Amino acid sequence: MTRLLLFLVGGIFFLAACGSEKDPSESLNSFLEELPYSKLSEYGFFESPLAQQLPKKEVIPYDLNTPLFSDYTHKRRFFRLPVGGKIKYHQKEVFDFPVGSILIKTFSLFDDIRFPEKGERLLETRLLVKGKTGWKAYPYIWNEEQTEALYDSVGDILELSWVHSDGVEKKNSYVVPNTNECKGCHDYSGKLTLIGPKAKHLNQHFQDLEKTNSNQLVLWQKKGILLGLPKPSSLPYLANWNSPNNSLEKRARAYLDVNCAHCHNPKGPANNSGLDLRSEQNNLANIGVFKAPVAAGRGSGGLNYDIVPGKPEESILLYRMKSTNPEIAMPEFGRGLVHEEGVELIRRWIANMPLSGKDSGE
Amino acid sequence: MFRITLWIFILVLLGCGEEKSKSTSLSSTEVKPWLITPGKKADREIQRAFLEVKPGQVINIAAGHYEFSRRLTLDIPEVTVRGAGADKTIFSFRKQKVGSEGFLVTQGKFVLESLAIEDTKGDGIKVKGADNVTLRSVRVEWTRGPHEENGGYGIYPVQCQNVLIEKCIAIGASDAGIYVGQSKNIIVRNNQARKNVAGIEIENSRFADVYKNDLTENTGGILVFDLPNLPVMGGGHIRVFQNKVYKNNQKNFAAKGNIVAKVPTGTGMMVMANNQVEIFSNEVFSHQTTNLALVSYMATNKKYDDPSYDPYPEGIFIHDNLFSDGGTDPQGEIGSLLAPLFQKIPDIVWDGMVDPQKMVEGKIPAELGIYLKDNAGATFANFNLLGLLQGSRAIDRDIKKYTGELPSLSAVKLP
């Protein structure tokens, strides 16, 4: 009895001695310290078999209005919050995720992109993990047998072939980024950051696994994982680049925002170019109209300005979208193929752009 | 019973101590020397080293030939990457499929020395946004020589501070062999650049010393530029001295649209729109367009829309240089503008553009002027671009009017 009492006293003492240094979420900390696991399955995000990518209850699938073009791959997006964790809403910036959050993105390629049901090959799963000091990127590459994805910080180049939308076989050297290259895009003022989870990208109707059909953000709010959501009518919205319901202007600016502005923003990796392609940028010179290139090297293609209104073929922006040469192509990473549909959108947008009172050409 | 209490005490101490010892062991990580030798997977080993290296460590790369199919990236501070010599440790990007440069570095206290980077698809080595960067005895080369499909910049620090580039060699860049952009506190010395469009270019940067470099066979030897629509503008406080700049008559092979495509073939030095530039004790000779051009951004005939940009070169002091044998066969747009005006283009030409808004009683303040002194018989002309554009030729060859001096600029000191 006395012993037990003493033990208890000792236990209290123990807590008092170390309590100030111990985090209540000790298990979360030790979990974060173990990362990255060498196998994707170790995280327990998915039901078995792993390749079906069926998320467990606590893993939430989501979607974006306009996705980044990634060489015609299909992307599945999910996140998992730490127990009790909640996301904080922001009107303009990316949402604030709690420490311990993991964003999960799996890239796959359909054998025939006209008929997804015919089968697919899983390529890689990228994780972004919010640790105590910020986000970290961990790339996993799927094995040939499609039973597991293995961590590899160095990335890889995968030789792929598939049947394309025109029914013809297409080939690509698909690049799995290394952890630094993840930051090449996910960089804001030198820190790894999220790109997708902003209100303007997430504000859309979504059918969740329980077949509830509602605004995606409202669904999150109902689940109790999103704090501070304003009423749906005041949510910002970035167009779906491929939807005829949106104007050409809105679709083009949405496309450029998602495909370019992660680097081309005032605090992004390409800020030295002075080009800002965020959808909220309204200054024409900043989005490239009659803006001379800087440090573009061969990327200028012998052209004088990023955008010449009415003249897509004289616009460096389009020229770089149409190239697959590593020195010329934009985005400079993550695209080995020309996105024909995206090129056509931007071509039409520039062709229809008014001259805005300035004389054209030199 | 007392024993048990003691035991608990010890437990408590152990429990707390464990965490402490863990954190000390983390901070005093043993400095493991990295050594990478040639081999089939050396390219992956090098990238892996760049991902796993700890601050303060050195990565040694043995002599040999290394092939890369994608660019290298380093995002860890305080790393030294050291080869066995610029002609011994060769990184070849001949088969590069991915990446717009050979090697991208994004952290400071970085040292790269004694290796070569060859045939990258885009730029050779780019260092972005870093403080304290040393590039020493590095060779960046496009081995086929001048070609319009060569990468743009050879050695390329941008948005950096405290930059030292020395004993490097740059050959074949389709823009600038050695380029420092949007940076401050820069020393570029004892380098060689040849067969590039620009040998050395200092752009939108402040506080740079460019000296004892050897520049030949480029389109233009040394360029000091300030350009509009950039996050960092107001380039100035640049000293260019004791350089040997000669026979830079390589036909311009830059992509049109780039600012260097405007540099006339056969330009020794060119200052564009930069303020506070002191050019002295250089030896500049045998340039077919001109040995030294001072121009405003207007001379490029390019549009810009940037009210915060100052397009005029101001506060330029040129003294004690040796100019000879220039201007016999002017090239490019600027060359064809000048050709009808002179039998032989003078050693030093200025486009004469001044900012009307800075005039005080019809004159530019003394500290914003262009001054020449003791340039051993160099010839000079203000070719009056504004007049030319309006159809009149009011060339001013009276060198006495421009003879004078500005206070010498202070030397750049690196930490």
Side-chain angles (χ1 to χ4, degrees):
Chain A
M1 184 65 205
T2 14
R3 273 189 190 195
L4 181 63
L5 187 68
L6 248 179
F7 188 73
L8 279 172
V9 169
I12 289 160
F13 185 79
F14 185 95
L15 286 173
C18 295
S20 57
E21 290 172 32
K22 294 263 169 183
D23 201 285
S25 49
E26 191 64 37
S27 64
L28 178 63
N29 286 345
S30 56
F31 163 69
L32 289 170
E33 274 173 24
E34 284 172 23
L35 302 189
Y37 292 139
S38 58
K39 297 174 186 169
L40 181 64
S41 60
E42 292 177 76
Y43 291 87
F45 297 136
F46 302 104
E47 305 290 352
S48 196
L50 196 62
Q52 286 191 7
Q53 294 280 289
L54 284 174
K56 293 206 173 143
K57 191 166 151 282
E58 66 277 16
V59 176
I60 295 165
Y62 69 100
D63 216 345
L64 307 176
N65 290 325
T66 288
L68 173 77
F69 173 71
S70 303
D71 283 353
Y72 292 103
T73 55
H74 173 63
K75 290 180 242 185
R76 295 173 172 91
R77 296 177 180 81
F78 313 89
F79 63 84
R80 187 175 79 184
L81 299 176
V83 177
K86 294 182 191 335
I87 303 166
K88 276 194 210 122
Y89 176 89
H90 280 285
Q91 188 78 0
K92 286 183 180 155
E93 302 297 317
V94 285
F95 291 174
D96 193 3
F97 282 73
V99 170
S101 298
I102 304 181
L103 273 69
I104 305 149
K105 183 156 63 171
T106 295
F107 293 69
S108 70
L109 185 64
F110 296 125
D111 300 338
D112 182 334
I113 67 169
R114 297 167 304 172
F115 308 105
E117 67 281 3
K118 280 192 178 174
E120 67 180 332
R121 173 176 168 191
L122 298 170
L123 307 172
E124 52 160 333
T125 295
R126 303 180 190 170
L127 304 186
L128 281 169
V129 179
K130 177 120 181 224
K132 283 192 137 180
T133 56
W135 292 95
K136 286 206 161 75
Y138 301 128
Y140 289 78
I141 301 176
W142 283 80
N143 60 11
E144 294 265 338
E145 304 78 38
Q146 303 274 286
T147 52
E148 186 62 271
L150 300 173
Y151 176 69
D152 191 341
S153 63
V154 182
D156 207 351
I157 296 180
L158 308 174
E159 299 301 334
L160 305 177
S161 68
W162 70 98
V163 179
H164 201 53
S165 49
D166 53 6
V168 177
E169 190 191 33
K170 207 171 171 75
K171 287 184 193 300
N172 185 25
S173 297
Y174 178 86
V175 178
V176 179
N178 68 38
T179 46
N180 282 346
E181 286 160 341
C182 296
K183 194 182 165 192
C185 293
H186 290 266
D187 179 8
Y188 194 68
S189 285
K191 288 202 89 174
L192 197 75
T193 183
L194 302 179
I195 299 170
K198 286 184 181 179
K200 66 180 179 181
H201 299 310
L202 293 162
N203 178 15
Q204 62 164 271
H205 271 274
F206 190 83
Q207 197 182 52
D208 69 6
L209 292 176
E210 291 91 44
K211 306 278 179 205
T212 316
N213 211 341
S214 174
N215 184 297
Q216 177 166 244
L217 294 173
V218 174
L219 279 174
W220 295 6
Q221 189 188 35
K222 282 184 182 157
K223 283 183 204 287
I225 56 168
L226 179 61
L227 298 176
L229 184 71
K231 58 181 192 291
S233 60
S234 63
L235 292 175
Y237 172 71
L238 192 73
N240 176 338
W241 73 281
N242 205 16
S243 163
N245 298 332
N246 297 120
S247 69
L248 179 61
E249 170 76 16
K250 287 218 154 64
R251 289 169 56 195
R253 291 300 301 275
Y255 186 87
L256 295 174
D257 184 289
V258 171
N259 284 279
C260 318
H262 49 81
C263 288
H264 285 287
N265 73 68
K267 290 184 179 174
N271 68 344
N272 58 315
S273 69
L275 188 68
D276 180 7
L277 290 167
R278 293 172 304 156
S279 59
E280 52 267 38
Q281 177 56 260
N282 290 317
N283 180 307
L284 289 177
N286 287 350
I287 67 165
V289 175
F290 289 123
K291 182 189 168 300
V294 181
R298 312 297 320 163
S300 75
L303 304 170
N304 288 308
Y305 304 106
D306 293 352
I307 295 174
V308 180
K311 295 183 177 169
E313 303 311 319
E314 291 178 20
S315 301
I316 295 168
L317 187 85
L318 193 73
Y319 171 75
R320 303 192 78 165
M321 285 176 65
K322 283 160 65 176
S323 175
T324 54
N325 177 332
E327 197 192 356
I328 296 165
M330 282 285 159
E332 66 177 33
F333 195 82
R335 183 174 74 74
L337 299 171
V338 176
H339 187 204
E340 302 291 349
E341 299 79 3
V343 164
E344 178 55 19
L345 173 70
I346 299 306
R347 192 195 63 72
R348 281 179 50 217
W349 175 63
I350 296 174
N352 285 286
M353 193 180 282
L355 279 174
S356 70
K358 300 188 186 197
D359 55 339
S360 63
E362 267 187 289
Chain B
M1 209 160 77
F2 181 71
R3 240 184 270 163
I4 293 166
T5 330
L6 193 70
W7 181 77
I8 288 166
F9 254 103
I10 290 165
L11 228 171
V12 166
L13 288 171
L14 276 176
C16 296
E18 203 172 49
E19 270 188 63
K20 290 222 176 74
S21 69
K22 198 170 178 184
S23 64
T24 29
S25 76
L26 265 178
S27 61
S28 64
T29 309
E30 270 180 58
V31 179
K32 180 179 88 180
W34 294 80
L35 174 64
I36 294 165
T37 52
K40 211 176 161 210
K41 289 194 166 175
D43 57 334
R44 288 179 70 84
E45 279 177 46
I46 290 169
Q47 181 60 68
R48 198 178 295 283
F50 290 176
L51 291 166
E52 293 175 4
V53 65
K54 297 279 181 290
Q57 289 188 323
V58 177
I59 299 173
N60 290 299
I61 301 177
H65 192 85
Y66 300 84
E67 295 255 356
F68 299 89
S69 58
R70 59 196 295 180
R71 78 169 161 192
L72 292 164
T73 54
L74 173 66
D75 190 36
I76 293 164
E78 295 177 53
V79 172
T80 295
V81 178
R82 184 178 294 140
D87 54 351
K88 294 198 170 67
T89 298
I90 315 287
F91 285 9
S92 171
F93 291 83
R94 198 165 48 94
K95 296 177 183 161
Q96 186 177 10
K97 290 181 188 167
V98 188
S100 51
E101 55 273 306
F103 185 9
L104 174 67
V105 180
T106 43
Q107 295 285 346
K109 293 196 178 166
F110 169 69
V111 180
L112 178 67
E113 57 189 16
S114 305
L115 58 75
I117 293 173
E118 292 182 351
D119 299 322
T120 54
K121 285 291 177 290
D123 305 317
I125 168 152
K126 177 174 175 179
V127 185
K128 184 166 187 278
D131 184 357
N132 201 335
V133 177
T134 302
L135 300 162
R136 181 182 295 119
S137 305
V138 173
R139 175 170 58 89
V140 177
E141 179 169 3
W142 284 269
T143 54
R144 63 183 163 188
H147 193 288
E148 59 171 29
E149 286 174 14
N150 289 352
Y153 300 131
I155 292 168
Y156 177 22
V158 62
Q159 295 180 349
C160 291
Q161 51 183 339
N162 301 316
V163 176
L164 172 62
I165 301 173
E166 63 180 358
K167 298 180 189 165
C168 292
I169 301 172
I171 301 169
S174 71
D175 197 310
I178 297 171
Y179 170 98
V180 183
Q182 302 176 47
S183 296
K184 72 177 182 194
N185 246 21
I186 301 145
I187 293 178
V188 179
R189 66 184 174 205
N190 298 310
N191 301 288
Q192 288 179 44
R194 54 181 197 266
K195 298 182 180 172
N196 308 285
V197 174
I200 294 174
E201 181 172 358
I202 308 293
E203 191 173 277
N204 292 53
S205 292
R206 291 187 65 73
F207 305 104
D209 277 355
V210 178
Y211 61 96
K212 294 188 177 169
N213 299 287
D214 187 285
L215 304 155
T216 190
E217 297 179 75
N218 305 288
T219 299
I222 300 177
L223 313 182
V224 181
F225 283 9
D226 199 45
L227 304 178
N229 293 116
L230 286 175
V232 181
M233 293 186 291
H237 202 112
I238 315 284
R239 304 195 312 157
V240 179
F241 57 100
Q242 296 173 7
N243 298 286
K244 189 173 176 187
V245 186
Y246 55 105
K247 296 182 187 166
N248 289 287
N249 296 314
Q250 165 64 45
K251 189 174 183 306
N252 194 321
F253 59 101
K256 193 176 157 258
N258 284 286
I259 197 78
V260 288
K262 297 282 184 179
V263 175
T265 296
T267 302
M269 300 187 189
M270 191 173 204
V271 176
M272 181 191 292
N274 231 276
N275 293 359
Q276 288 180 287
V277 182
E278 185 177 1
I279 298 175
F280 61 100
S281 306
N282 298 285
E283 204 181 331
V284 189
F285 59 92
S286 301
H287 295 103
Q288 62 187 87
T289 296
T290 184
N291 281 325
L292 172 58
L294 307 173
V295 294
S296 64
Y297 191 73
M298 289 74 166
T300 65
N301 194 24
K302 282 170 101 74
K303 285 187 230 289
Y304 71 96
D305 178 8
D306 187 345
S308 62
Y309 174 62
D310 174 0
Y312 306 94
E314 292 160 338
I316 313 291
F317 183 25
I318 299 161
H319 61 97
D320 298 293
N321 299 287
L322 275 177
F323 293 105
S324 61
D325 181 29
T328 48
D329 184 14
Q331 301 290 312
E333 277 177 67
I334 294 174
S336 54
L337 200 69
L338 297 177
L341 310 178
F342 306 96
Q343 269 204 314
K344 189 176 144 199
I345 314 298
D347 291 313
I348 306 167
V349 290
W350 175 37
D351 73 357
M353 298 291 274
V354 290
D355 188 348
Q357 294 188 352
K358 293 198 188 98
M359 298 252 198
V360 179
E361 293 168 359
K363 282 171 82 178
I364 279 293
E367 71 274 16
L368 301 182
I370 307 282
Y371 298 94
L372 312 174
K373 195 185 165 204
D374 297 335
N375 292 302
T379 51
F380 168 82
N382 166 358
F383 64 90
N384 195 345
L385 178 65
L386 196 62
L388 281 180
L389 297 175
Q390 292 163 351
S392 76
R393 290 184 183 185
I395 298 153
D396 187 357
R397 302 200 63 162
D398 185 1
I399 197 165
K400 281 192 202 117
K401 271 164 60 183
Y402 301 89
T403 301
E405 59 187 299
L406 287 169
S408 282
L409 301 175
S410 54
V412 170
K413 286 199 180 73
L414 297 179

